[in-house]
């Protein structure tokens, strides 16, 4: 929805006008109404559609607050497949002005409708009935997830739905093959994969709907999204990480009267913070399971290092993880958001590498001994800090730029860093994305992982404090290694793929786009599943007797030979794979 699209007018120093225009969709306040998915909307705001103040990159808190407030004024309505959009809106607008709306499909048609005032919701709920079904009983729980019943004939054309999932990897490879440079390929990949404005709104709405459930126990709670839903690196289809924030209830900032008296709530004591978190999540999990419409497959995973409730939110199609007392992760999301907004090359680079890692099985949606997207993103940030001149500041530099309002100490850890983009000086580096990607692969293809640790606080590698194969210091909890789960085999795969990708990119980049428009080249070649397949099979067999350059040359030749991925067997096998 148009009212709060963030991070407008980012500094694009030194970038070409084409790249600027490609970035515009995310960074400017203009809504994307693309050809593949046409937004259907009643009226849109005129002021906020255009980004007037070009230098106003919103702070993380401001943007989150705007989106949260917007979600509180929104409802989610399951609709019949063929309805008159006009009549639907007319019906709803009896309850208040509608700011914005869109339709999407997720096992049925849904509409997200944003009223301009919260009163609209109250009026709508007042007019909404609870139906009784003769052979079933229902729990009369009133939420903002509604169903529309229409006595219309089926003669209406279907409503236009916005896409909520990304294109498959084969289509992406085809699209990238038609671009003219590796930089354009990287921006094009981000364009396809990044969360749309509507998808972000839907994520905030799901949090807001869950808050209504959790409010049965904790009326003043807030459920906040974190992780890739808000850090600027989320891909369509990524999970929805949520954090139950009870700070408003715990009254941390209450001023004392100063007359010697104060009142305290009586509360049950628990043995530890962890035990309190577990009991809170246990009851909320139960409540979600029993009463929350649309929430299915609820699992209470309370003994994990970070206790959580996992479930599928069916109307949105999101896989949800609800945690509590998880402030450090929230702060990490804010830091990533800041880094992503500091330079126009960070996000396309991270999107490209996340996609590359996923295609080649370096990352997975299943927890295990592989690299996580979070660790990979920290590796990219570290690499960009190490460029000369540096593209990103170190976390220590960001801490020095902070003012007293930025101060944040969580569980004894100093999590302070500057949050206002305007206080961070511009950098002078003008390298192309092609060069950066190439250098990234070279850098990690030759990194001394056995001795050194990656540290974005200092922007320098440091001696490894422990024996894990991959050591990436947690930015806010220095004693912890965010990649402790990664085993030696996975690290070796990462290094090998970096080395081979560096070589492949060098070939593709030097050659430029192939005259045969659909022949995969550059990033498209790098993302071909057949490459990883070939690395796994051919590479293994030949490794003992061929130097790496020979192996890669063979791969490259096989790529040149294969027309386009979709026809190839490995490509076809991969096409149905959901990439996160
Ligand atoms: P996706 O793979 O797209 O879901 O990326 P994500 O960034 O959302 O990662 P994930 O869902 O695994 O974790 C959510 C957030 O939790 C991350 O963005 C981090 O802020 C935080 N997080 C995840 N793993 C770690 C970790 O090992 N250490 C710390 N400190 N935070 C982590
Ligand atoms: Mg996530």
């Amino acid at each position: 929805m148009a009212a709060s699209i963030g991070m407008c007018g980012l500094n694009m120093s030194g970038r070409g006008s084409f790249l600027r225009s490609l970035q515009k969709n995310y960074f400017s306040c203009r809504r994307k109404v693309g050809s593949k998915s046409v937004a259907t909307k009643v009226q849109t705001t005129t002021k906020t559609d255009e980004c007037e103040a070009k230098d106003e990159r919103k702070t993380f808190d401001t943007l989150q607050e705007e989106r949260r407030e917007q979600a509180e004024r929104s409802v989610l309505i399951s609709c019949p497949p063929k309805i008159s959009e006009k009549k639907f809106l007319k019906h709803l607008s009896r309850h208040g002005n509608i700011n914005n709306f869109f339709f999407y499909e997720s096992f049925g048609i849904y509409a997200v409708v944003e009223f301009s005032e919260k009163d609209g919701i109250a009026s709508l709920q007042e007019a909404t009935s609870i139906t009784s079904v003769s052979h079933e009983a229902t729990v009369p729980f009133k939420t903002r997830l509604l169903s529309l019943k229409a006595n219309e004939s089926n003669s209406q054309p279907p409503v236009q739905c916005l896409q909520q999932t990304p294109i498959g990897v084969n289509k992406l490879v085809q699209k990238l093959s038609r671009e003219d440079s590796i930089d354009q390929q990287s921006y094009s990949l981000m364009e396809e994969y990044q969360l749309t404005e509507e998808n972000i709104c839907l994520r905030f709405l799901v949090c807001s709907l869950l808050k209504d459930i959790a409010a049965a126990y904790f009326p003043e709670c807030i459920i906040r999204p974190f992780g890739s839903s808000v850090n600027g690196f989320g891909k369509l289809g990524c999970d929805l990480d949520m954090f139950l924030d009870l700070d408003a209830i715990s009254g941390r900032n209450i001023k004392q009267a100063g007359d010697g008296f104060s009142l305290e709530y009586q509360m049950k004591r628990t043995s530890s913070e962890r035990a309190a978190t577990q009991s809170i999540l246990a009851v909320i999990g139960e409540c979600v399971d029993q009463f929350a419409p649309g929430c299915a497959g609820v699992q209470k995973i309370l003994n994990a290092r970070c206790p959580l409730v996992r479930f599928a939110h069916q109307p949105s199609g999101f896989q949800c993880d609800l945690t509590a007392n998880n402030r450090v992760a929230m702060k990490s999301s804010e830091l990533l958001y800041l880094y992503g907004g500091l330079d126009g090359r960070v996000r396309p680079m991270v999107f490209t590498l996340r996609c590359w890692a996923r295609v080649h099985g370096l990352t997975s949606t299943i927890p295990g001994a592989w690299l996580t997207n979070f660790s990979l993103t920290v590796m990219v940030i570290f690499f960009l800090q190490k460029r000369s001149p540096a593209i990103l500041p170190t976390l220590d530099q960001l801490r020095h730029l902070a003012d007293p309002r930025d101060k944040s100490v969580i569980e004894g850890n100093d999590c302070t860093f500057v949050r206002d983009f305007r206080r961070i000086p511009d950098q002078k580096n003008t390298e192309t994305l092609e060069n950066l990607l190439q250098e990234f692969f070279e850098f990690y293809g030759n990194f001394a992982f056995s001795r050194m640790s990656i540290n974005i606080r200092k922007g320098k590698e440091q001696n490894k404090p422990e024996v894990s194969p991959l050591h990436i210091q947690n930015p806010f909890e220095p004693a912890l290694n965010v990649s402790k789960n990664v085993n030696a085999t996975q690290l070796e795969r990462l290094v090998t793929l970096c080395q081979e990708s560096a070589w492949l990119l060098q070939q593709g980049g030097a050659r430029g786009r192939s005259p045969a428009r659909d022949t995969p080249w550059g990033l498209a070649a790098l993302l071909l599943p057949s490459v990883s397949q070939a690395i796994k099979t051919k590479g293994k067999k030949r490794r003992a007797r061929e130097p790496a350059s020979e192996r890669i040359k063979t791969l490259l030749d096989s790529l040149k030979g294969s027309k386009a991925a979709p026809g190839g067997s490995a490509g076809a096998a991969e096409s149905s794979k959901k990439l996160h």
Side-chain angles (χ1 to χ4, degrees):
M1 296 173 209
S4 67
I5 301 183
M7 303 214 288
C8 339
L10 281 191
N11 167 37
M12 303 294 175
S13 58
R15 318 308 308 147
S17 61
F18 176 75
L19 301 187
R20 268 197 295 274
S21 74
L22 279 171
Q23 290 179 44
K24 220 171 145 192
N25 272 339
Y26 188 87
F27 291 118
S28 81
C29 287
R30 188 183 289 280
R31 249 175 90 109
K32 180 183 173 190
V33 184
S35 53
K36 77 169 178 168
S37 55
V38 180
T40 40
K41 45 185 185 168
V42 221
Q43 60 182 76
T44 48
T45 48
T46 47
K47 264 190 201 158
T48 50
D49 250 19
E50 296 293 335
C51 183
E52 282 160 7
K54 293 281 181 209
D55 200 30
E56 273 181 21
R57 282 167 275 177
K58 287 177 183 163
T59 66
F60 184 77
D61 281 354
T62 307
L63 185 58
Q64 304 312 298
E65 204 41 44
E66 280 181 10
R67 293 194 190 279
R68 197 173 68 77
E69 190 274 328
Q70 188 179 37
E72 299 259 294
R73 290 183 278 106
S74 304
V75 280
L76 185 52
I77 306 177
S78 160
C79 301
K82 291 178 177 179
I83 52 162
S84 155
E85 194 177 293
K86 211 170 151 190
K87 278 171 76 179
F88 171 66
L89 293 167
K90 196 172 165 206
H91 179 80
L92 292 181
S93 52
R94 289 185 301 159
H95 301 284
N97 284 338
I98 294 170
N99 256 10
N100 230 318
F101 73 95
F102 64 89
F103 291 97
Y104 69 91
E105 198 171 352
S106 168
F107 302 105
I109 307 290
Y110 285 87
V112 172
V113 180
E114 177 202 332
F115 284 93
S116 56
E117 305 288 336
K118 246 182 136 177
D119 290 352
I121 304 275
S123 164
L124 179 66
Q125 282 186 314
E126 196 63 33
T128 300
S129 56
I130 294 180
T131 49
S132 53
V133 185
S134 56
H135 57 283
E136 276 177 345
T138 49
V139 180
F141 207 85
K142 290 185 177 177
T143 70
R144 280 176 288 142
L145 173 59
L146 312 175
S147 292
L148 177 77
K149 305 284 171 212
N151 300 326
E152 280 192 330
S153 71
N154 259 4
S155 59
Q156 295 296 333
V159 289
Q160 282 181 306
C161 288
L162 291 180
Q163 190 79 25
Q164 303 298 322
T165 49
I167 58 169
V169 75
N170 288 340
K171 275 206 172 132
L172 180 73
V173 164
Q174 282 175 351
K175 184 170 188 217
L176 300 191
S177 303
R178 290 192 289 269
E179 299 291 0
D180 287 325
S181 70
I182 286 181
D183 284 42
Q184 285 172 359
Q185 289 184 324
S186 186
Y187 281 102
S188 186
L189 183 148
M190 179 175 81
E191 276 277 292
E192 281 300 333
Y193 275 6
Q194 69 187 349
L195 299 181
T196 58
E197 181 57 24
E198 289 79 10
N199 193 269
I200 298 174
C201 288
L202 185 56
R203 286 167 188 270
F204 274 81
L205 178 52
V206 171
C207 290
S208 178
L209 297 178
L210 274 165
K211 187 220 93 177
D212 291 350
I213 305 285
Y217 283 97
F218 305 106
E220 291 160 84
C221 75
I222 295 174
I223 293 191
R224 302 184 189 276
F226 70 99
S228 54
S229 299
V230 292
N231 65 17
F233 301 112
K235 182 187 161 199
L236 280 171
C238 69
D239 66 356
L240 172 57
D241 303 294
M242 292 173 284
F243 157 60
L244 176 72
D245 186 351
L246 299 176
D247 264 13
I249 302 173
S250 61
R252 275 181 199 178
N253 298 321
I254 286 181
K255 276 196 187 148
Q256 298 302 333
D259 59 1
F261 286 97
S262 65
L263 290 165
E264 284 180 0
Y265 285 102
Q266 290 198 10
M267 286 183 291
K268 277 221 174 204
R269 310 265 160 202
T270 55
S271 54
S272 63
E273 284 255 1
R274 181 177 165 81
T277 302
Q278 286 170 324
S279 356
I280 291 166
L281 286 177
V283 293
I284 301 293
E286 198 53 34
C287 202
V288 169
D289 196 16
Q290 301 289 333
F291 305 131
C295 297
V298 180
Q299 289 173 272
K300 288 178 256 173
I301 309 170
L302 303 178
N303 288 322
R305 190 181 69 82
C306 179
L308 63 104
V309 176
R310 176 165 290 171
F311 55 92
H313 187 260
Q314 288 176 332
S316 62
F318 296 143
Q319 179 66 36
C320 300
D321 278 350
L322 176 65
T323 59
N325 196 13
N326 199 6
R327 298 211 148 265
V328 176
M330 195 75 197
K331 208 66 194 166
S332 308
S333 305
E334 183 173 7
L335 181 67
L336 260 49
Y337 166 86
L338 187 83
Y339 275 128
L342 274 179
D343 184 279
R345 291 162 289 183
V346 180
R347 293 181 62 248
M349 186 158 175
V350 170
F351 270 95
T352 301
L353 290 166
R354 280 186 174 209
C355 183
W356 164 83
R358 183 68 188 96
V359 164
H360 296 300
L362 287 176
T363 54
S364 168
T365 48
I366 309 160
W370 25 82
L371 199 65
T372 61
N373 275 329
F374 180 64
S375 296
L376 179 62
T377 309
V378 176
M379 288 174 78
V380 181
I381 292 169
F382 181 71
F383 164 76
L384 294 173
Q385 291 173 334
K386 295 272 297 177
R387 301 308 295 158
S388 180
I391 293 178
L392 290 177
T394 68
L395 184 48
D396 271 347
Q397 287 165 339
L398 293 177
R399 184 166 52 91
H400 288 133
L401 290 168
D403 71 16
R405 283 166 303 172
D406 296 320
K407 188 156 183 63
S408 166
V409 177
I410 303 170
E411 289 157 23
N413 294 302
D414 187 359
C415 301
T416 306
F417 59 87
V418 61
R419 292 172 301 167
D420 184 342
F421 285 94
R422 289 167 300 186
R423 294 169 63 92
I424 304 170
D426 291 343
Q427 48 72 33
K428 304 274 180 286
N429 185 305
T430 57
E431 285 174 272
T432 61
L433 270 168
E434 173 177 345
N435 190 52
L436 290 172
L437 286 164
Q438 172 83 41
E439 293 286 327
F440 175 91
F441 293 131
E442 301 269 357
F443 182 77
Y444 286 114
N446 296 296
F447 192 82
F449 287 109
S450 59
R451 290 184 294 112
M452 306 311 268
S453 159
I454 289 165
N455 183 326
I456 62 164
R457 182 164 283 283
K458 303 271 171 236
K460 276 196 195 118
E461 46 269 62
Q462 305 207 299
N463 288 329
K464 252 161 89 164
E466 40 125 320
V467 293
S468 307
L470 175 60
H471 193 280
I472 303 175
Q473 194 191 71
N474 184 323
F476 298 121
E477 294 170 291
L480 301 181
N481 171 12
V482 300
S483 54
K484 205 177 170 61
N485 61 313
V486 177
N487 67 18
T489 312
Q490 291 303 320
L491 178 63
E492 196 194 330
R493 291 196 60 233
L494 169 70
V495 171
T496 308
L497 266 161
C498 280
Q499 289 167 352
E500 305 200 333
S501 299
W503 202 90
L504 274 172
L505 205 52
Q506 199 182 11
Q507 303 310 302
R511 190 185 45 172
R513 201 183 82 186
S514 158
R517 274 183 76 81
D518 280 344
T519 305
W521 73 278
L523 294 188
L526 212 63
L527 296 180
L528 272 183
S530 56
V531 172
S532 62
Q533 211 56 37
I535 287 169
K536 269 188 229 147
T537 52
K538 291 183 195 173
K540 252 187 201 162
K541 276 187 221 148
R542 295 178 189 202
R543 195 153 297 165
R545 55 179 195 280
E546 273 182 1
S549 56
E550 277 305 306
R551 283 201 320 271
I552 297 162
K553 191 167 176 304
T554 317
L555 282 179
L556 200 69
D557 288 343
S558 71
L559 281 181
K560 281 179 193 159
S562 72
K563 184 76 170 84
S569 58
E574 198 71 17
S575 65
S576 57
K577 197 160 148 186
K578 199 176 167 206
L579 299 172
H580 284 282

